[in-house]
Amino acid sequence: MTISLSDLGKRFNYDWIFRHLNYEFESNSVYAIIGANGSGKSTLLQIIGGALFHNEGIVNYTNDQGANIADESIFKQISFCAPYLELIEEMTGLEFLNFHQRFKPFISGVDATTILQKIQLEKAAQKQIRYYSSGMKQRLKLGQCLFSATSVVLLDEPCTNLDESGFALYKSLIKDYVAHKLIIVSSNDKAEYDFCEEVIDIKKYK
């Protein structure tokens, strides 16, 4: 998939967060969106993912054959991980992943039990998510995102609440399971995006 941004702008009330942003994100490439806190990184990522509307400009999605993808089908092609996304805390980790799979299938050969093993939460498979630590919850969010059978992976501050072993796990999962996809990382921590090929500084579009 290719995602093209043409003269994109977003404002809240009368304050423009960014304007006149032109960029093309291509398949099999890895990008980072950087900037200070409050600069609009997360806002841009959510617009790219179809979770927020923009105020001006165009976001266009095309498949690898160059055909436009209908807006209502975009969510099937995009997986998202962010610390502010909610989990269903009454569910166990295993129940949550099985529930998620009903909407976005996992990559071939992977099921919920396998994912819990890969993110090192197999011992917490039957524990309600409400009893997970913040780091465990972030691992679960990464698991449901990175193992979904999508073309695009959007990661907003993906290592929030992760310890050193969690950082290492994140890098390993990226390398082993999604390196061939279109990946966009929003972060101001270089350790989260040091593998990215291109870096977009959001402040250039103020």
Side-chain angles (χ1 to χ4, degrees):
M1 180 193 290
T2 298
I3 302 175
S4 302
L5 312 180
S6 302
D7 204 30
L8 197 70
K10 176 64 179 177
R11 72 183 182 202
F12 292 112
N13 296 321
Y14 296 104
D15 296 324
W16 286 97
I17 308 303
F18 52 80
R19 295 192 81 180
H20 309 304
L21 199 163
N22 296 281
Y23 208 87
E24 188 168 271
F25 300 93
E26 299 180 346
S27 297
N28 305 314
S29 300
V30 187
Y31 304 85
I33 302 170
I34 66 170
N37 292 339
S39 60
K41 303 186 302 299
S42 296
T43 298
L44 176 56
L45 202 68
Q46 290 179 62
I47 290 172
I48 292 170
L52 276 181
F53 289 110
H54 45 288
N55 295 97
E56 61 182 15
I58 298 171
V59 181
N60 192 53
Y61 308 87
T62 55
N63 62 25
D64 290 338
Q65 289 71 47
N68 287 336
I69 301 173
D71 289 347
E72 60 270 19
S73 301
I74 293 303
F75 81 95
K76 297 178 182 178
Q77 300 295 325
I78 295 175
S79 54
F80 203 106
C81 178
Y84 46 80
L85 294 182
E86 296 292 335
L87 298 168
I88 306 173
E89 301 209 344
E90 292 77 16
M91 289 184 174
T92 65
L94 186 62
E95 288 171 339
F96 173 77
L97 290 175
N98 281 324
F99 178 73
H100 172 82
Q101 189 177 23
R102 293 167 56 186
F103 302 94
K104 286 186 181 174
F106 295 132
I107 59 177
S108 178
V110 171
D111 60 14
T113 299
T114 304
I115 293 173
L116 288 167
Q117 293 170 348
K118 297 292 185 183
I119 60 177
Q120 301 168 7
L121 290 180
E122 63 270 27
K123 293 182 180 179
Q126 302 297 338
K127 180 187 291 187
Q128 284 187 318
I129 296 170
R130 70 173 78 187
Y131 299 117
Y132 281 21
S133 69
S134 57
M136 292 168 71
K137 290 177 180 179
Q138 189 62 18
R139 286 178 185 239
L140 189 60
K141 292 175 186 179
L142 283 170
Q144 61 87 20
C145 174
L146 299 180
F147 287 97
S148 292
T150 60
S151 302
V152 180
V153 173
L154 304 181
L155 302 167
D156 194 356
E157 298 183 351
C159 294
T160 299
N161 298 318
L162 294 183
D163 56 15
E164 186 175 343
S165 66
F167 262 86
L169 176 65
Y170 161 71
K171 293 290 185 68
S172 175
L173 293 175
I174 292 289
K175 178 181 177 182
D176 294 342
Y177 295 100
V178 297
H180 61 289
K181 297 184 178 184
L182 166 53
I183 304 172
I184 308 176
V185 183
S186 168
S187 177
N188 54 18
D189 183 348
K190 192 169 184 179
E192 292 183 316
Y193 66 85
D194 57 7
F195 57 88
C196 293
E197 301 159 351
E198 297 190 41
V199 177
I200 303 103
D201 190 341
I202 194 71
K203 72 174 182 288
K204 293 182 179 180
Y205 302 97
K206 292 295 183 181

